[in-house]
Amino acid sequence: MENKITQSGTATITVDGQSFELPVMKGSMGAPGIDVRALHKMSGHFTFDPGYTSTCSTESQITFIDGGKGQLLYRGYDIESLAENSTFLEVAYLLINGELPNKAENAKFTNTITQHTMLHDQIESFFHGFRRDAHPMAMMCGTVGALSGFYHDDSHTTVDDARNMAMHRLIAKIPTIAARAYKYSIGQPHVYPDNSLNYAENFLNMCFSVPAEKYKISPTIARAMDKIFILHADHEQNASTSTVRLAGSSGANPYACIAAGIACLWGPSHGGANEACLNMLQEIGTVDRIPEFIARAKDKSDPFRLMGFGHRVYKNFDPRSRVMQKVAHEVLEELDLKNPILDVAKELEKIALEDEYFVAKKLYPNVDFYSGIVLSALGFPTSMFTVLFSLARTVGWISQWNEMLEDPSQRIGRPRQLYSGATAREYVPMNKR
C-alpha cells in the first residue's frame, strides 16, 4: 500500500512549560490527526486515550465514515449504491483490491470462491467435540482458528499468491462453517455446499435444507441476505477490526487473526446489538404495551432503554438502515408472517419516525433494529445473529489484514499504559507475611 497521508501543518503542544511542534497529518477525507510518534522521545510523555477513541491507529484506504453526515463509503463508493447495485462478492473484491471488478474479473473471483467452499473432512471432528448446547459463536471461533492447523503456510505474510489463497479460503469457507455450526446446534445433519448456487443462496441452502426436503430458495430472501452481508462487510477501525490488525501485526497466521476478530465481535457491546434489539421486542411482547415502554424510554430515571435506535457513530441517520428498512419490508411482505413480535417492530418503527422526542434526538431505527427483524423472520435464532455478522465482516477483516501487511509503516502493535499499581518494594518471605 502506498502511503497517501500528507503533512498539512504543525501543532504546538506545551508540556510542563516546554513547547513541542508535532506534524499534523491529513488524509483524503475526514478530520486530520496529530502525529505523536515522536512525543515521548521529545518530551518523555505518552498520550492517554483509553479505548483509542481519539487515536488514529493506522492509515487506511478501505472504509470511511462521517457520522455527522450519516455517510459510509467502501473504497469511495456509497454503501447504499453498492447494496442496491452490487453483489456481496463484487463488494468483497472491491474491499480487497480497491476497485470494482469488471465482468471477467468478477467471473474469475466468483469461480475461485465457489471452488473453495468445502471443508476438510477432518474438521467434522471439531464440531463433534462441542456440546450440543454450545453457542454457535464458540464453534465459529474454535473452528476458524483450527483452520490454521490445516493451512499453515508461513509465506502468507510475504508471498502474494499465498496471501490471496488464505483470503479466498476464508471468504469461501466461513459460510460453510457458519451453516455447519447452526445445523450442529439444532441437531440436524450438515448440508454440503452446492456450487450451482450463488453465495447467499448457498448459505441459505446449507442452513435450511434437510435430506428429506429440498429448500426452495426465494430470490427475494436470497437478495435480502446478500444485502445484509454487504451492509456488514466493513466499518472502519472498530474493536474487532483493530483486534485482527493487532493480532496480524505480529505476523500471526491469518486464520488465527480472523478467529481473534470473531472472539471480539462475540462481545455484547460489539456484535450483539441486533440480538439485544430482538430481546427488547420480545420483552415488549404486544403492540398494546408499546406506549408503556415508550414512556419508560423517555424517563431518565428508568433503566429501560430502547435498543436499535440511534448509533454511537452516526449522529444522523445510519445510511445502512435505509437499505435495511426496505429489505425488512420486502421480506415481511414475501413471508407474510403472523408474528406479534414483528407487529411490535412495525409499530415501534412508525412511532420512532414520527414521535417528536425521537426525531429531536435523532433516535432513528438503525441497522441492528432492521437486521434483527429480518433474521428472525428468516428463521434464524438469536444465537446465530452474531455468527451472520462475523460471516459478513470476515471480508472486511481480511481486507484490513491485507492492507496492514502491505503498509510500509506497519509495525507490531504495542500500546502503552499509565501504571497506577504498587511502587517498587522489598520482597517479604513467607514466614514474615
Side-chain angles (χ1 to χ4, degrees):
M1 181 187 82
E2 179 186 353
N3 295 120
K4 293 185 177 181
I5 55 173
T6 57
Q7 184 173 341
S8 61
T10 59
T12 302
I13 296 179
T14 302
V15 182
D16 295 336
Q18 281 189 292
S19 294
F20 305 94
E21 277 200 355
L22 297 171
V24 175
M25 310 305 291
K26 179 120 180 91
S28 57
M29 297 177 74
I34 300 171
D35 187 344
V36 298
R37 282 176 289 186
L39 181 62
H40 180 255
K41 185 177 181 180
M42 294 165 63
S43 70
H45 289 72
F46 293 121
T47 56
F48 184 57
D49 182 23
Y52 314 119
T53 54
S54 295
T55 298
C56 303
S57 62
T58 188
E59 173 191 354
S60 181
Q61 299 167 12
I62 298 173
T63 302
F64 175 77
I65 297 170
D66 187 324
K69 294 179 180 178
Q71 185 180 49
L72 172 60
L73 306 178
Y74 289 171
R75 298 285 192 177
Y77 292 101
D78 183 81
I79 187 63
E80 295 175 71
S81 298
L82 290 171
E84 291 297 334
N85 299 294
S86 289
T87 65
F88 178 65
L89 287 185
E90 282 182 81
V91 172
Y93 185 98
L94 168 69
L95 290 173
I96 294 170
N97 298 290
E99 298 293 341
L100 285 166
N102 59 32
K103 190 173 182 179
E105 290 167 337
N106 187 54
K108 181 181 178 181
F109 183 72
T110 300
N111 181 66
T112 299
I113 301 303
T114 303
Q115 296 304 315
H116 286 281
T117 54
M118 290 284 290
L119 298 177
H120 193 290
D121 202 51
Q122 289 181 349
I123 291 177
E124 274 300 304
S125 61
F126 283 92
F127 287 102
H128 291 290
F130 289 102
R131 286 171 46 127
R132 280 291 174 186
D133 58 354
H135 196 289
M137 279 296 278
M139 290 185 255
M140 286 287 288
C141 208
T143 309
V144 172
L147 290 178
S148 59
F150 291 84
Y151 311 110
H152 40 73
D153 185 350
D154 291 335
S155 65
H156 60 256
T157 59
T158 56
V159 179
D160 288 346
D161 287 346
R163 194 187 311 164
N164 286 333
M165 178 58 74
M167 292 190 287
H168 295 159
R169 281 179 179 144
L170 279 161
I171 297 172
K173 296 181 190 304
I174 283 285
T176 311
I177 294 171
R180 184 68 189 93
Y182 172 60
K183 285 294 196 181
Y184 187 82
S185 69
I186 62 175
Q188 289 186 359
H190 69 277
V191 176
Y192 286 109
D194 184 342
N195 287 358
S196 68
L197 302 174
N198 67 33
Y199 196 84
E201 290 172 343
N202 185 45
F203 175 66
L204 289 167
N205 187 66
M206 288 190 292
C207 285
F208 298 120
S209 183
V210 292
E213 185 177 351
K214 188 174 177 62
Y215 176 66
K216 295 178 182 177
I217 301 171
S218 159
T220 300
I221 302 304
R223 184 60 184 144
M225 183 58 65
D226 204 60
K227 287 184 178 181
I228 289 174
F229 291 159
I230 291 172
L231 297 174
H232 290 87
D234 198 48
H235 210 238
E236 231 187 62
Q237 305 305 316
N238 51 65
S240 58
T241 299
S242 298
T243 297
V244 171
R245 277 183 173 264
L246 196 59
S249 72
S250 71
N253 184 287
Y255 306 100
C257 295
I258 300 306
I262 292 171
C264 182
L265 188 69
W266 192 2
S269 295
H270 189 6
N274 49 16
E275 183 175 345
C277 178
L278 196 70
N279 290 337
M280 176 201 70
L281 295 175
Q282 291 170 340
E283 182 183 356
I284 296 173
T286 55
V287 171
D288 61 290
R289 298 189 65 199
I290 290 178
E292 170 196 342
F293 284 87
I294 292 291
R296 289 180 61 188
K298 295 178 181 179
D299 183 355
K300 292 182 180 179
S301 63
D302 194 308
F304 175 78
R305 293 291 179 268
L306 281 176
M307 305 299 294
F309 294 86
H311 196 282
R312 69 183 302 269
V313 172
Y314 299 106
K315 306 308 177 187
N316 208 312
F317 208 80
D318 181 344
R320 300 168 299 171
S321 66
R322 282 191 284 260
V323 179
M324 277 306 304
Q325 179 187 45
K326 183 179 177 182
V327 168
H329 291 175
E330 289 172 351
V331 168
L332 295 180
E333 183 179 346
E334 168 93 2
L335 298 176
D336 193 26
L337 298 174
K338 305 301 180 186
N339 186 326
I341 300 303
L342 298 179
D343 292 336
V344 169
K346 290 178 185 177
E347 184 62 23
L348 203 54
E349 175 199 27
K350 181 181 176 183
I351 292 172
L353 294 174
E354 297 174 355
D355 189 289
E356 288 184 11
Y357 175 85
F358 289 93
V359 174
K361 292 182 174 292
K362 298 183 178 179
L363 295 176
Y364 302 109
N366 61 32
V367 69
D368 300 310
F369 177 81
Y370 292 115
S371 61
I373 294 169
V374 172
L375 296 178
S376 177
L378 294 182
F380 287 106
T382 54
S383 61
M384 278 293 292
F385 287 6
T386 316
V387 172
L388 292 164
F389 194 165
S390 64
L391 189 168
R393 186 55 58 85
T394 294
V395 165
W397 289 332
I398 60 172
S399 301
Q400 299 273 353
W401 170 81
N402 184 54
E403 181 183 65
M404 178 203 66
L405 293 178
E406 293 179 342
D407 184 351
S409 65
Q410 185 270 328
R411 58 198 304 180
I412 187 169
R414 189 18 176 123
R416 298 293 187 166
Q417 65 174 14
L418 283 180
Y419 176 70
S420 59
T423 56
R425 48 185 172 171
E426 294 294 325
Y427 178 78
V428 179
M430 179 74 77
N431 60 359
K432 293 185 179 181
R433 292 177 206 163

